[in-house]
Amino acid sequence: MSDKLSRRALLGSGAMVLGALATPSVLRAQALPDYEGEENIRTAPRNVMGFRNHHWKDHFKSLRKGAILCDTYSRALHYWSEDESTYLVHPCSVPMSEEFTRRGYTEITLKRFEPTWIPTPSMRERDPSLPERVEGADPRNPLGSRALNLSWQYYRIHGIDNPAKIGRRASNGCFGLLNPHAENLYELVQIGTQVRVI
């Protein structure tokens, strides 16, 4: 009888300890600020607890020209090749607020190697000190080494100038990848690759 009680006590206390250890992580994931601006970028938590797996069939009718899913909740980009031989998942930065987030279906319309960055009119309105343009390969260029333009004006998937932005709300509408990930994706996608933002 005492063996049964001690096992129950051990199991019960083990469950309590696991619950106590998990609680801070869950709370951190739920307590992310609405805007993780440049001043908070080093201290704002990354959304590591919110990762979700996806299957392409849940989002696309086919893999014609491949498919990209940008998940704003889990802050990850998923890519499936047309022949299903390649499936990639990369952490990414996402739009800093709902105001900058556009959801739905679009596609890749242009692939840009060492892209020039031209701030959008709304970016210049918010911050008139921004340069009119920054050439590709300039270390100040926030588009990194590669950019994939979407059919929505001013929206793209691109490399990133600051790796600390990965996994955070840090963009004006784009999805930023580490430069090596952006370079790999650039080689795989084609014009017309379908994209969904959720």
Side-chain angles (χ1 to χ4, degrees):
M1 194 71 155
S2 61
D3 279 347
K4 288 183 181 179
L5 287 177
S6 61
R7 283 187 202 134
R8 281 190 196 138
L10 180 63
L11 290 172
S13 60
M16 285 178 19
V17 168
L18 286 174
L21 290 173
T23 300
S25 298
V26 171
L27 292 176
R28 280 196 304 272
Q30 293 172 346
L32 293 169
D34 285 336
Y35 169 63
E36 297 165 2
E38 198 66 40
E39 66 278 1
N40 299 325
I41 208 71
R42 297 233 178 258
T43 58
R46 297 176 198 263
N47 188 20
V48 294
M49 295 300 292
F51 182 77
R52 298 184 290 184
N53 280 327
H54 291 279
H55 192 279
W56 71 265
K57 289 182 180 178
D58 296 330
H59 303 280
F60 303 96
K61 292 179 181 176
S62 73
L63 284 178
R64 175 196 52 82
K65 295 192 175 183
I68 294 172
L69 177 70
C70 299
D71 185 341
T72 59
Y73 175 75
S74 67
R75 302 174 192 185
L77 180 145
H78 301 254
Y79 168 78
W80 296 269
S81 63
E82 185 170 15
D83 64 1
E84 294 190 64
S85 65
T86 304
Y87 170 61
L88 302 173
V89 181
H90 295 305
C92 65
S93 66
V94 298
M96 66 177 81
S97 69
E98 283 302 312
E99 174 190 356
F100 298 103
T101 304
R102 184 165 183 179
R103 291 183 177 83
Y105 289 91
T106 180
E107 65 181 34
I108 303 297
T109 58
L110 182 65
K111 294 171 60 171
R112 295 167 42 203
F113 181 90
E114 293 188 352
T116 296
W117 176 59
I118 300 172
T120 66
S122 64
M123 290 168 73
R124 291 191 53 76
E125 186 178 307
R126 286 191 313 277
D127 184 358
S129 70
L130 288 174
E132 288 188 23
R133 68 187 282 137
V134 179
E135 299 303 323
D138 186 315
R140 298 171 303 140
N141 187 325
L143 297 182
S145 59
R146 305 288 186 276
L148 303 167
N149 287 26
L150 304 179
S151 63
W152 302 329
Q153 187 177 25
Y154 305 129
Y155 287 83
R156 22 190 89 69
I157 297 165
H158 60 79
I160 203 159
D161 62 327
N162 181 356
K165 294 178 181 178
I166 297 296
R168 296 188 168 112
R169 295 188 199 113
S171 82
N172 287 278
C174 297
F175 293 87
L177 300 170
L178 293 171
N179 278 320
H181 295 163
E183 291 162 10
N184 187 33
L185 192 63
Y186 178 92
E187 295 301 323
L188 295 169
V189 303
Q190 51 188 304
I191 302 302
T193 293
Q194 53 197 327
V195 178
R196 184 181 187 192
V197 177
I198 59 172

mmCIF file of all heavy atoms in Angstrom, residues 13-50:
data_model
loop_
_atom_site.group_PDB
_atom_site.id
_atom_site.type_symbol
_atom_site.label_atom_id
_atom_site.label_comp_id
_atom_site.label_asym_id
_atom_site.label_seq_id
_atom_site.Cartn_x
_atom_site.Cartn_y
_atom_site.Cartn_z
ATOM 1 N N SER A 13 3.752 14.994 -7.942
ATOM 2 C CA SER A 13 4.723 16.085 -7.786
ATOM 3 C C SER A 13 5.501 16.303 -9.077
ATOM 4 O O SER A 13 5.832 17.433 -9.421
ATOM 5 C CB SER A 13 5.672 15.809 -6.623
ATOM 6 O OG SER A 13 6.375 14.612 -6.845
ATOM 7 N N GLY A 14 5.758 15.242 -9.842
ATOM 8 C CA GLY A 14 6.431 15.392 -11.145
ATOM 9 C C GLY A 14 5.600 16.205 -12.107
ATOM 10 O O GLY A 14 6.101 17.081 -12.814
ATOM 11 N N ALA A 15 4.285 15.961 -12.154
ATOM 12 C CA ALA A 15 3.392 16.726 -13.028
ATOM 13 C C ALA A 15 3.358 18.187 -12.619
ATOM 14 O O ALA A 15 3.349 19.086 -13.453
ATOM 15 C CB ALA A 15 1.992 16.130 -12.993
ATOM 16 N N MET A 16 3.363 18.441 -11.294
ATOM 17 C CA MET A 16 3.355 19.831 -10.820
ATOM 18 C C MET A 16 4.636 20.550 -11.220
ATOM 19 O O MET A 16 4.603 21.691 -11.665
ATOM 20 C CB MET A 16 3.169 19.876 -9.298
ATOM 21 C CG MET A 16 1.753 19.571 -8.881
ATOM 22 S SD MET A 16 1.430 19.533 -7.100
ATOM 23 C CE MET A 16 2.728 20.404 -6.347
ATOM 24 N N VAL A 17 5.777 19.872 -11.113
ATOM 25 C CA VAL A 17 7.053 20.482 -11.484
ATOM 26 C C VAL A 17 7.081 20.790 -12.972
ATOM 27 O O VAL A 17 7.464 21.875 -13.399
ATOM 28 C CB VAL A 17 8.235 19.570 -11.076
ATOM 29 C CG1 VAL A 17 9.525 20.038 -11.710
ATOM 30 C CG2 VAL A 17 8.365 19.526 -9.568
ATOM 31 N N LEU A 18 6.656 19.828 -13.812
ATOM 32 C CA LEU A 18 6.618 20.067 -15.263
ATOM 33 C C LEU A 18 5.694 21.223 -15.607
ATOM 34 O O LEU A 18 6.009 22.053 -16.443
ATOM 35 C CB LEU A 18 6.180 18.797 -16.010
ATOM 36 C CG LEU A 18 7.220 17.696 -16.086
ATOM 37 C CD1 LEU A 18 6.624 16.445 -16.720
ATOM 38 C CD2 LEU A 18 8.429 18.158 -16.859
ATOM 39 N N GLY A 19 4.548 21.285 -14.962
ATOM 40 C CA GLY A 19 3.616 22.386 -15.208
ATOM 41 C C GLY A 19 4.224 23.717 -14.828
ATOM 42 O O GLY A 19 4.099 24.709 -15.549
ATOM 43 N N ALA A 20 4.918 23.768 -13.708
ATOM 44 C CA ALA A 20 5.550 25.015 -13.259
ATOM 45 C C ALA A 20 6.660 25.440 -14.205
ATOM 46 O O ALA A 20 6.851 26.619 -14.477
ATOM 47 C CB ALA A 20 6.096 24.834 -11.850
ATOM 48 N N LEU A 21 7.422 24.462 -14.742
ATOM 49 C CA LEU A 21 8.484 24.797 -15.685
ATOM 50 C C LEU A 21 7.932 25.295 -17.005
ATOM 51 O O LEU A 21 8.496 26.174 -17.640
ATOM 52 C CB LEU A 21 9.377 23.575 -15.932
ATOM 53 C CG LEU A 21 10.257 23.143 -14.766
ATOM 54 C CD1 LEU A 21 10.951 21.832 -15.101
ATOM 55 C CD2 LEU A 21 11.277 24.224 -14.441
ATOM 56 N N ALA A 22 6.823 24.734 -17.465
ATOM 57 C CA ALA A 22 6.254 25.116 -18.758
ATOM 58 C C ALA A 22 5.530 26.448 -18.703
ATOM 59 O O ALA A 22 5.493 27.175 -19.681
ATOM 60 C CB ALA A 22 5.291 24.033 -19.243
ATOM 61 N N THR A 23 4.952 26.802 -17.573
ATOM 62 C CA THR A 23 4.128 28.006 -17.475
ATOM 63 C C THR A 23 4.843 29.276 -17.902
ATOM 64 O O THR A 23 4.306 30.035 -18.695
ATOM 65 C CB THR A 23 3.568 28.151 -16.043
ATOM 66 O OG1 THR A 23 2.784 26.994 -15.767
ATOM 67 C CG2 THR A 23 2.711 29.389 -15.910
ATOM 68 N N PRO A 24 6.082 29.575 -17.437
ATOM 69 C CA PRO A 24 6.711 30.821 -17.871
ATOM 70 C C PRO A 24 6.872 30.912 -19.381
ATOM 71 O O PRO A 24 6.692 31.966 -19.966
ATOM 72 C CB PRO A 24 8.071 30.797 -17.162
ATOM 73 C CG PRO A 24 7.884 29.885 -16.002
ATOM 74 C CD PRO A 24 6.871 28.861 -16.449
ATOM 75 N N SER A 25 7.209 29.802 -20.057
ATOM 76 C CA SER A 25 7.365 29.818 -21.506
ATOM 77 C C SER A 25 6.054 30.118 -22.194
ATOM 78 O O SER A 25 5.996 30.888 -23.146
ATOM 79 C CB SER A 25 7.900 28.471 -22.003
ATOM 80 O OG SER A 25 9.161 28.227 -21.454
ATOM 81 N N VAL A 26 4.985 29.510 -21.745
ATOM 82 C CA VAL A 26 3.675 29.750 -22.341
ATOM 83 C C VAL A 26 3.271 31.199 -22.141
ATOM 84 O O VAL A 26 2.808 31.868 -23.050
ATOM 85 C CB VAL A 26 2.622 28.785 -21.746
ATOM 86 C CG1 VAL A 26 1.226 29.159 -22.192
ATOM 87 C CG2 VAL A 26 2.944 27.349 -22.132
ATOM 88 N N LEU A 27 3.490 31.711 -20.940
ATOM 89 C CA LEU A 27 3.144 33.105 -20.669
ATOM 90 C C LEU A 27 3.975 34.051 -21.520
ATOM 91 O O LEU A 27 3.472 35.040 -22.029
ATOM 92 C CB LEU A 27 3.335 33.421 -19.181
ATOM 93 C CG LEU A 27 2.357 32.721 -18.239
ATOM 94 C CD1 LEU A 27 2.714 33.026 -16.794
ATOM 95 C CD2 LEU A 27 0.924 33.140 -18.529
ATOM 96 N N ARG A 28 5.273 33.752 -21.693
ATOM 97 C CA ARG A 28 6.119 34.611 -22.528
ATOM 98 C C ARG A 28 5.602 34.631 -23.953
ATOM 99 O O ARG A 28 5.553 35.666 -24.589
ATOM 100 C CB ARG A 28 7.566 34.115 -22.495
ATOM 101 C CG ARG A 28 8.331 34.535 -21.270
ATOM 102 C CD ARG A 28 9.821 34.360 -21.482
ATOM 103 N NE ARG A 28 10.194 33.007 -21.854
ATOM 104 C CZ ARG A 28 10.467 32.043 -20.997
ATOM 105 N NH1 ARG A 28 10.388 32.264 -19.716
ATOM 106 N NH2 ARG A 28 10.811 30.854 -21.421
ATOM 107 N N ALA A 29 5.198 33.479 -24.487
ATOM 108 C CA ALA A 29 4.716 33.426 -25.871
ATOM 109 C C ALA A 29 3.423 34.200 -26.037
ATOM 110 O O ALA A 29 3.181 34.787 -27.068
ATOM 111 C CB ALA A 29 4.511 31.971 -26.295
ATOM 112 N N GLN A 30 2.569 34.216 -25.008
ATOM 113 C CA GLN A 30 1.301 34.913 -25.112
ATOM 114 C C GLN A 30 1.443 36.396 -24.830
ATOM 115 O O GLN A 30 0.576 37.175 -25.184
ATOM 116 C CB GLN A 30 0.303 34.308 -24.128
ATOM 117 C CG GLN A 30 -0.077 32.885 -24.505
ATOM 118 C CD GLN A 30 -0.905 32.227 -23.434
ATOM 119 O OE1 GLN A 30 -1.004 32.695 -22.313
ATOM 120 N NE2 GLN A 30 -1.519 31.105 -23.783
ATOM 121 N N ALA A 31 2.512 36.829 -24.193
ATOM 122 C CA ALA A 31 2.647 38.209 -23.779
ATOM 123 C C ALA A 31 3.510 39.033 -24.737
ATOM 124 O O ALA A 31 4.112 40.007 -24.346
ATOM 125 C CB ALA A 31 3.250 38.259 -22.379
ATOM 126 N N LEU A 32 3.583 38.636 -26.003
ATOM 127 C CA LEU A 32 4.371 39.388 -26.960
ATOM 128 C C LEU A 32 3.726 40.742 -27.215
ATOM 129 O O LEU A 32 2.518 40.847 -27.355
ATOM 130 C CB LEU A 32 4.467 38.623 -28.289
ATOM 131 C CG LEU A 32 5.254 37.332 -28.217
ATOM 132 C CD1 LEU A 32 5.074 36.540 -29.488
ATOM 133 C CD2 LEU A 32 6.711 37.615 -27.979
ATOM 134 N N PRO A 33 4.511 41.806 -27.289
ATOM 135 C CA PRO A 33 3.934 43.120 -27.545
ATOM 136 C C PRO A 33 3.404 43.227 -28.960
ATOM 137 O O PRO A 33 3.821 42.481 -29.849
ATOM 138 C CB PRO A 33 5.123 44.062 -27.333
ATOM 139 C CG PRO A 33 6.332 43.223 -27.551
ATOM 140 C CD PRO A 33 5.954 41.822 -27.123
ATOM 141 N N ASP A 34 2.472 44.169 -29.186
ATOM 142 C CA ASP A 34 1.920 44.370 -30.521
ATOM 143 C C ASP A 34 2.956 44.918 -31.481
ATOM 144 O O ASP A 34 2.904 44.688 -32.667
ATOM 145 C CB ASP A 34 0.734 45.341 -30.456
ATOM 146 C CG ASP A 34 -0.492 44.673 -29.881
ATOM 147 O OD1 ASP A 34 -0.579 43.437 -29.967
ATOM 148 O OD2 ASP A 34 -1.352 45.384 -29.338
ATOM 149 N N TYR A 35 3.908 45.698 -30.965
ATOM 150 C CA TYR A 35 4.910 46.290 -31.835
ATOM 151 C C TYR A 35 6.281 46.074 -31.224
ATOM 152 O O TYR A 35 6.529 46.463 -30.096
ATOM 153 C CB TYR A 35 4.645 47.784 -32.021
ATOM 154 C CG TYR A 35 5.789 48.495 -32.687
ATOM 155 C CD1 TYR A 35 6.156 48.161 -33.976
ATOM 156 C CD2 TYR A 35 6.516 49.464 -32.020
ATOM 157 C CE1 TYR A 35 7.218 48.797 -34.587
ATOM 158 C CE2 TYR A 35 7.585 50.103 -32.624
ATOM 159 C CZ TYR A 35 7.917 49.762 -33.911
ATOM 160 O OH TYR A 35 8.978 50.378 -34.515
ATOM 161 N N GLU A 36 7.145 45.440 -31.970
ATOM 162 C CA GLU A 36 8.491 45.178 -31.487
ATOM 163 C C GLU A 36 9.433 46.049 -32.310
ATOM 164 O O GLU A 36 10.098 45.590 -33.215
ATOM 165 C CB GLU A 36 8.825 43.698 -31.633
ATOM 166 C CG GLU A 36 7.910 42.843 -30.787
ATOM 167 C CD GLU A 36 7.942 41.376 -31.142
ATOM 168 O OE1 GLU A 36 8.700 40.975 -32.018
ATOM 169 O OE2 GLU A 36 7.182 40.634 -30.524
ATOM 170 N N GLY A 37 9.423 47.337 -32.019
ATOM 171 C CA GLY A 37 10.191 48.305 -32.786
ATOM 172 C C GLY A 37 11.685 48.140 -32.627
ATOM 173 O O GLY A 37 12.177 47.350 -31.823
ATOM 174 N N GLU A 38 12.419 48.932 -33.411
ATOM 175 C CA GLU A 38 13.873 48.861 -33.442
ATOM 176 C C GLU A 38 14.479 49.007 -32.052
ATOM 177 O O GLU A 38 15.438 48.334 -31.700
ATOM 178 C CB GLU A 38 14.409 49.966 -34.368
ATOM 179 C CG GLU A 38 15.815 49.751 -34.837
ATOM 180 C CD GLU A 38 15.977 48.547 -35.742
ATOM 181 O OE1 GLU A 38 15.120 48.297 -36.591
ATOM 182 O OE2 GLU A 38 16.983 47.852 -35.582
ATOM 183 N N GLU A 39 13.882 49.875 -31.213
ATOM 184 C CA GLU A 39 14.433 50.086 -29.878
ATOM 185 C C GLU A 39 14.255 48.867 -28.979
ATOM 186 O O GLU A 39 14.975 48.686 -28.014
ATOM 187 C CB GLU A 39 13.807 51.327 -29.214
ATOM 188 C CG GLU A 39 12.327 51.204 -28.904
ATOM 189 C CD GLU A 39 11.399 51.471 -30.083
ATOM 190 O OE1 GLU A 39 11.886 51.743 -31.201
ATOM 191 O OE2 GLU A 39 10.179 51.397 -29.883
ATOM 192 N N ASN A 40 13.282 47.987 -29.294
ATOM 193 C CA ASN A 40 13.021 46.803 -28.470
ATOM 194 C C ASN A 40 13.538 45.512 -29.094
ATOM 195 O O ASN A 40 13.361 44.454 -28.535
ATOM 196 C CB ASN A 40 11.515 46.645 -28.249
ATOM 197 C CG ASN A 40 10.927 47.826 -27.523
ATOM 198 O OD1 ASN A 40 11.560 48.403 -26.672
ATOM 199 N ND2 ASN A 40 9.714 48.192 -27.885
ATOM 200 N N ILE A 41 14.151 45.600 -30.255
ATOM 201 C CA ILE A 41 14.441 44.409 -31.045
ATOM 202 C C ILE A 41 15.337 43.415 -30.302
ATOM 203 O O ILE A 41 15.204 42.213 -30.464
ATOM 204 C CB ILE A 41 15.043 44.789 -32.413
ATOM 205 C CG1 ILE A 41 14.699 43.718 -33.433
ATOM 206 C CG2 ILE A 41 16.526 45.021 -32.372
ATOM 207 C CD1 ILE A 41 13.290 43.684 -33.842
ATOM 208 N N ARG A 42 16.238 43.875 -29.462
ATOM 209 C CA ARG A 42 17.132 42.962 -28.752
ATOM 210 C C ARG A 42 16.488 42.347 -27.519
ATOM 211 O O ARG A 42 16.926 41.325 -27.028
ATOM 212 C CB ARG A 42 18.413 43.684 -28.368
ATOM 213 C CG ARG A 42 19.183 44.147 -29.584
ATOM 214 C CD ARG A 42 20.608 43.648 -29.527
ATOM 215 N NE ARG A 42 21.328 44.049 -30.717
ATOM 216 C CZ ARG A 42 21.581 43.226 -31.718
ATOM 217 N NH1 ARG A 42 21.198 41.990 -31.673
ATOM 218 N NH2 ARG A 42 22.236 43.647 -32.769
ATOM 219 N N THR A 43 15.421 42.989 -26.992
ATOM 220 C CA THR A 43 14.806 42.490 -25.767
ATOM 221 C C THR A 43 13.456 41.838 -25.994
ATOM 222 O O THR A 43 12.977 41.106 -25.146
ATOM 223 C CB THR A 43 14.645 43.627 -24.742
ATOM 224 O OG1 THR A 43 13.855 44.656 -25.334
ATOM 225 C CG2 THR A 43 15.992 44.190 -24.325
ATOM 226 N N ALA A 44 12.802 42.102 -27.146
ATOM 227 C CA ALA A 44 11.490 41.508 -27.405
ATOM 228 C C ALA A 44 11.645 40.006 -27.599
ATOM 229 O O ALA A 44 12.544 39.549 -28.297
ATOM 230 C CB ALA A 44 10.867 42.132 -28.654
ATOM 231 N N PRO A 45 10.781 39.201 -26.973
ATOM 232 C CA PRO A 45 10.914 37.744 -27.092
ATOM 233 C C PRO A 45 10.573 37.248 -28.500
ATOM 234 O O PRO A 45 9.736 37.813 -29.179
ATOM 235 C CB PRO A 45 9.901 37.211 -26.070
ATOM 236 C CG PRO A 45 8.929 38.311 -25.896
ATOM 237 C CD PRO A 45 9.655 39.597 -26.135
ATOM 238 N N ARG A 46 11.259 36.187 -28.903
ATOM 239 C CA ARG A 46 10.929 35.532 -30.174
ATOM 240 C C ARG A 46 9.781 34.571 -29.910
ATOM 241 O O ARG A 46 9.640 34.046 -28.819
ATOM 242 C CB ARG A 46 12.136 34.770 -30.702
ATOM 243 C CG ARG A 46 13.313 35.646 -31.020
ATOM 244 C CD ARG A 46 14.481 34.770 -31.436
ATOM 245 N NE ARG A 46 15.729 35.469 -31.345
ATOM 246 C CZ ARG A 46 16.332 36.070 -32.361
ATOM 247 N NH1 ARG A 46 15.773 36.071 -33.542
ATOM 248 N NH2 ARG A 46 17.482 36.665 -32.198
ATOM 249 N N ASN A 47 8.987 34.305 -30.932
ATOM 250 C CA ASN A 47 7.828 33.433 -30.759
ATOM 251 C C ASN A 47 8.216 31.983 -31.030
ATOM 252 O O ASN A 47 7.867 31.421 -32.050
ATOM 253 C CB ASN A 47 6.692 33.861 -31.688
ATOM 254 C CG ASN A 47 5.425 33.098 -31.405
ATOM 255 O OD1 ASN A 47 5.263 32.542 -30.337
ATOM 256 N ND2 ASN A 47 4.529 33.066 -32.357
ATOM 257 N N VAL A 48 8.950 31.381 -30.109
ATOM 258 C CA VAL A 48 9.375 29.997 -30.302
ATOM 259 C C VAL A 48 8.322 29.004 -29.838
ATOM 260 O O VAL A 48 8.326 27.852 -30.250
ATOM 261 C CB VAL A 48 10.718 29.703 -29.588
ATOM 262 C CG1 VAL A 48 11.832 30.487 -30.218
ATOM 263 C CG2 VAL A 48 10.615 29.991 -28.105
ATOM 264 N N MET A 49 7.394 29.429 -28.993
ATOM 265 C CA MET A 49 6.369 28.516 -28.485
ATOM 266 C C MET A 49 5.198 28.373 -29.450
ATOM 267 O O MET A 49 4.396 27.471 -29.303
ATOM 268 C CB MET A 49 5.843 29.016 -27.134
ATOM 269 C CG MET A 49 6.893 29.015 -26.036
ATOM 270 S SD MET A 49 7.564 27.385 -25.713
ATOM 271 C CE MET A 49 6.143 26.582 -25.017
ATOM 272 N N GLY A 50 5.068 29.274 -30.419
ATOM 273 C CA GLY A 50 3.897 29.266 -31.282
ATOM 274 C C GLY A 50 4.076 28.520 -32.585
ATOM 275 O O GLY A 50 3.235 28.628 -33.461
#
